[in-house]
Amino acid sequence: MKKYIAIFAILIATATTTQAQKYFTRAGYLGFFSDTKMEDIKGDNNKVNFVLDAATGQLEISGLIKAFEFEKALMQEHFNENYMESDTYPKTSFKGKVDNMAGVNLKKDGTYSSKVTGDLTMHGVTKKVTVDATFKVAGGKITCESKFDVVPEDYKITIPGTVRDNIASKIAVTAKANLEELKK
Amino acid sequence: MKKKIFTVLIIAIVAAAGIGYYMWNKPKRTAADEKPFAITTADELMNEFSSDETKAWEKYKGDKVIQVKGKIGDISQDSLTTILLETQDIMGVINCTLIKDQNFSGKIGDSIEIKGICAGYNLDVQLTQCALVQ
């Protein structure tokens, strides 16, 4: 993995003209939880790309819909075929900015909070969102995390009336990653 | 007559419950016992996606099983084991998540053949529900 990080670093470094400091991971986490009286549904994806530019606060996240793992095969099938239509819309992404990047010092231990604003895309629909995010720096290790709610209908995900009670009207989403610095 | 209807009804209910129970606990589809749709190498597969992602996705979408030969670049373990196969593309790897009950004792540098369900391209090509090909 070290080798890939190094190579990735060189590429990014040569691709950017500025001396911007970038942080990234390919093993970020994206998960969601739907909690209803009928059943709990949980999906986890541990193969999500995060790239953060510490100079500008630019943040990009991307993941594959089919890489979400579920407890039950049937949940995974319904998620991909009926709701997310992952053959047609294979990816989800976020492109935005950490609003208060100036107040986040990734070189100094501490916990920093900021709003993150940008475009969230899933199921072929892009929406502007603003969410709360936390950056934790401890002994050179950087963790970023955000929890927010998503309403399926906002992304043209139609849930039939017969199973509407089985799926929460607001889905709790968690995005989390340990970021590594790209070194030249 | 009434008794007959009653019996039929009971049978229908039991059958429906049985089907429901089976569906609910249906095992996950794995690549282990499926014939691959394509047999290729890590380099070729990466090349297909990095040169024309749309075309490659058209070919492999619909949960197609791909069998890939490659060299292990890295192994990581959380709740599931993930194997990264190296490619000549300096950015890309084939990212393979093994099925839960797959025994695996390989190490970095080993040449292996693996088959899995194509999840798409996200800088790396991701395969899920992977099994080793013996």
Side-chain angles (χ1 to χ4, degrees), chain B residues 12-130:
Chain B
I13 289 167
V14 168
I19 291 166
Y21 184 77
Y22 169 76
M23 290 293 281
W24 179 242
N25 287 296
K26 191 167 90 161
K28 279 190 189 173
R29 186 179 161 223
T30 81
D33 33 44
E34 288 196 32
K35 264 214 169 105
F37 164 80
I39 299 175
T40 184
T41 64
D43 279 330
E44 273 174 42
L45 184 61
M46 179 49 68
N47 192 29
E48 276 186 83
F49 273 96
S50 58
S51 60
D52 190 343
E53 185 185 346
T54 315
K55 193 176 144 201
W57 182 240
E58 274 306 311
K59 181 176 171 187
Y60 293 119
K61 72 179 188 182
D63 295 333
K64 300 239 174 49
V65 172
I66 309 176
Q67 184 167 323
V68 195
K69 200 184 265 181
K71 209 170 112 189
I72 300 176
D74 200 14
I75 302 163
S76 67
Q77 182 96 44
D78 42 63
S79 58
L80 298 165
T81 306
T82 298
I83 295 172
L84 303 184
L85 299 180
E86 287 179 352
T87 72
Q88 281 172 347
D89 182 325
I90 45 174
M91 292 278 283
V93 292
I94 312 294
N95 189 320
C96 312
T97 312
L98 297 184
I99 49 175
K100 236 181 192 148
D101 46 4
Q102 173 71 61
N103 289 316
F104 176 70
S105 56
K107 55 187 192 305
I108 292 171
D110 286 358
S111 283
I112 59 162
E113 205 160 1
I114 206 164
K115 59 180 176 175
I117 298 167
C118 187
Y121 179 65
N122 192 27
L123 283 180
D124 45 8
V125 178
Q126 298 185 5
L127 302 180
T128 62
Q129 299 294 113
C130 291

Side-chain angles (χ1 to χ4, degrees), chain A residues 29-33 41-48 64-77 79-80, chain B residues 28-30 78-82 95-100 117 119 126-130:
Chain A
Y29 169 82
L30 205 52
F32 69 85
F33 187 67
I41 302 166
K42 193 169 164 281
D44 302 301
N45 184 343
N46 285 301
K47 295 166 192 291
V48 181
L64 294 177
I65 301 299
K66 286 197 181 186
F68 279 89
E69 299 276 351
F70 293 75
E71 191 200 339
K72 299 279 182 196
L74 206 60
M75 289 175 182
Q76 196 152 343
E77 238 177 74
F79 174 74
N80 280 298
Chain B
K28 279 190 189 173
R29 186 179 161 223
T30 81
D78 42 63
S79 58
L80 298 165
T81 306
T82 298
N95 189 320
C96 312
T97 312
L98 297 184
I99 49 175
K100 236 181 192 148
I117 298 167
Q126 298 185 5
L127 302 180
T128 62
Q129 299 294 113
C130 291

